[in-house]
Amino acid sequence: MTLDLVLMAGAAAVIVCGLIAGVFLAFSDFVMKSLFAASTTGGIEAMQLINRKVYGSVFLTLLVAMSVISMAFGLYASLYMPSPAAGWIIAGCVLYGAGVFVVTVVFNVPMNRRLDAMNHQAAATASYWTVYSSSWTLWNHVRTIASAGAAICFLVGCLVLSNG
């Protein structure tokens, strides 16, 4: 792969990770706070709808595609890039893989599925909502930091690579 193609792939990774970080940041910064401040049934119902609409969204496509692209980029970096640049790229891949993809699959998605299966008007759901909103947001903070960190690592890796 030529240097120009590698740098374009790196730039794309920076942009996609930045977009993903932005969505996560919006949820951590004000969406979840707003849903929790709404009436309990209204907040629960809105989150259930958000979780259903995410399937088939551009966001989910980017989230999953970046996992695959990140692994390929990390493998390429480990085999063909000079050490300083490869280290940054691999760090970005690890941050994204562990801090975004694994956290999403292991923590956020199971909580979303549990909430989705509940009646938004039931007392048990209201009780779960308090736990859900704080725990889901905590893990979303991790995803926000990890995706932003991955974008930064990819950017620095590309800058190091372009400077020879």
Side-chain angles (χ1 to χ4, degrees):
M1 196 179 290
T2 69
L3 180 60
D4 288 343
L5 287 175
V6 172
L7 293 175
M8 286 190 293
V14 170
I15 291 167
V16 171
C17 285
L19 289 169
I20 290 167
V23 171
F24 289 151
L25 178 62
F27 268 84
S28 286
D29 188 36
F30 60 85
V31 173
M32 289 304 291
K33 291 174 186 174
S34 298
L35 293 176
F36 195 70
S39 69
T40 302
T41 57
I44 293 166
E45 184 179 22
M47 190 63 180
Q48 287 173 327
L49 292 169
I50 289 167
N51 288 334
R52 291 172 193 153
K53 293 293 183 185
V54 77
Y55 294 105
S57 69
V58 172
F59 172 75
L60 186 63
T61 301
L62 291 174
L63 181 89
V64 173
M66 191 61 217
S67 298
V68 175
I69 292 165
S70 179
M71 287 188 300
F73 200 30
L75 180 61
Y76 179 85
S78 67
L79 295 174
Y80 301 109
M81 285 186 191
S83 287
W88 283 102
I89 300 299
I90 293 167
C93 296
V94 170
L95 272 172
Y96 191 86
V100 177
F101 190 75
V102 171
V103 166
T104 298
V105 171
V106 172
F107 297 105
N108 295 86
V109 169
M111 286 186 277
N112 291 345
R113 288 189 176 148
R114 180 175 176 195
L115 183 68
D116 189 54
M118 302 175 97
N119 178 336
H120 69 276
Q121 295 178 336
T125 309
S127 177
Y128 178 63
W129 177 241
T130 303
V131 173
Y132 172 92
S133 61
S134 63
S135 184
W136 190 96
T137 303
L138 171 71
W139 288 111
N140 196 63
H141 290 335
V142 171
R143 299 188 305 173
T144 302
I145 293 165
S147 53
I152 291 166
C153 288
F154 292 142
L155 177 62
V156 172
C158 287
L159 290 172
V160 169
L161 187 62
S162 70
N163 289 325

